[in-house]
Amino acid sequence: MAIELPALPYPRNALEPHLSAATLDEHHGSHHRGHVEATNRLLEGSGLEGVALEEIVRRARGRLADEAAQAWSHGFYWTCLSPCGGGDPAGPLAERLARQYGDFIRFREEFTRQALGLSGSGWVWLVQRPDGTPGIVATRGGGTPLTGTDTPLLACDVWEHAYYLDRQNARADYLEAFWKVVDWQAVGARLR
Ligand code: MN
């Protein structure tokens, strides 16, 4: 059974003006699709055919692990965003972020700092540690928290392809736009 490219959970122009339809077309229709197709090619004969994508990310090695991770991370990223997103989180997530970072603003500053500090391509994640506390993790290239013990709650793709059509190489501007479309309800629902 092949891995499928999940449809965007909103129309391609739904995140405008923060993320343009052109960026979503390219990012979902070309980059995300490319990782799904490469995963399917590499799955043949791997012994992991028919295994769920998350499980492939955990169990595969080498190129398949990398492509599967990118396929999974992109699907996850789209579900972290919403045209009704932005603002501040509420409920238990807000409480845990405040306990860990002082307040939401300081959490956002620290996440942004790590996103801007990651040299080259990668991802920045809000995760839940095994002890329940929130943490911020930056992974290079296609790395994901799935291969460790943390539970991913939120992903920010900081590969240049996530923003160059809208903002050239201005990653800081992209981060500002990103915060305006984060779906805190979806992120908070992932707490265990
Ligand atoms: Mn990407």
Side-chain angles (χ1 to χ4, degrees):
M1 194 177 63
I3 301 299
E4 287 186 15
L5 177 69
L8 280 175
Y10 27 74
R12 52 195 281 282
N13 62 352
L15 303 181
E16 290 187 340
H18 311 297
L19 300 179
S20 69
T23 287
L24 265 61
D25 279 346
E26 168 91 2
H27 199 177
H28 176 261
S30 171
H31 292 276
H32 188 177
R33 181 186 301 279
H35 291 302
V36 169
E37 288 174 353
T39 299
N40 283 325
R41 277 197 302 276
L42 294 162
L43 265 177
E44 281 178 39
S46 69
L48 293 172
E49 301 94 329
V51 174
L53 182 56
E54 265 192 55
E55 209 42 42
I56 297 170
V57 175
R58 293 194 176 99
R59 286 162 55 183
R61 293 290 174 270
R63 211 142 154 250
L64 173 58
D66 202 48
E67 292 293 345
Q70 288 282 45
W72 180 83
S73 297
H74 281 90
F76 185 79
Y77 172 71
W78 302 124
T79 65
C80 291
L81 309 179
S82 162
C84 307
D88 296 7
L93 177 62
E95 286 161 26
R96 290 194 213 187
L97 289 176
R99 210 154 45 225
Q100 191 73 17
Y101 297 98
D103 57 36
F104 172 65
I105 300 294
R106 267 182 275 186
F107 156 74
R108 204 172 56 190
E109 281 171 3
E110 176 58 19
F111 188 105
T112 302
R113 194 183 67 74
Q114 295 210 27
L116 300 183
L118 182 70
S119 66
S121 300
W123 296 77
V124 183
W125 308 82
L126 167 62
V127 299
Q128 182 176 359
R129 309 286 192 194
D131 68 2
T133 58
I136 300 168
V137 176
T139 57
R140 282 174 188 283
T144 89
L146 288 185
T147 50
T149 54
D150 297 335
T151 303
L153 303 176
L154 167 69
C156 182
D157 186 343
V158 296
W159 285 61
E160 213 165 78
H161 67 230
Y163 54 91
Y164 76 97
L165 285 178
D166 293 339
R167 308 176 190 279
Q168 289 74 52
N169 60 353
R171 191 183 285 180
D173 292 353
Y174 162 65
L175 260 293
E176 269 185 50
F178 172 78
W179 292 122
K180 292 186 175 129
V181 289
V182 170
D183 185 348
W184 288 114
Q185 217 169 338
V187 175
R190 295 183 179 122
L191 282 176
R192 294 188 171 171

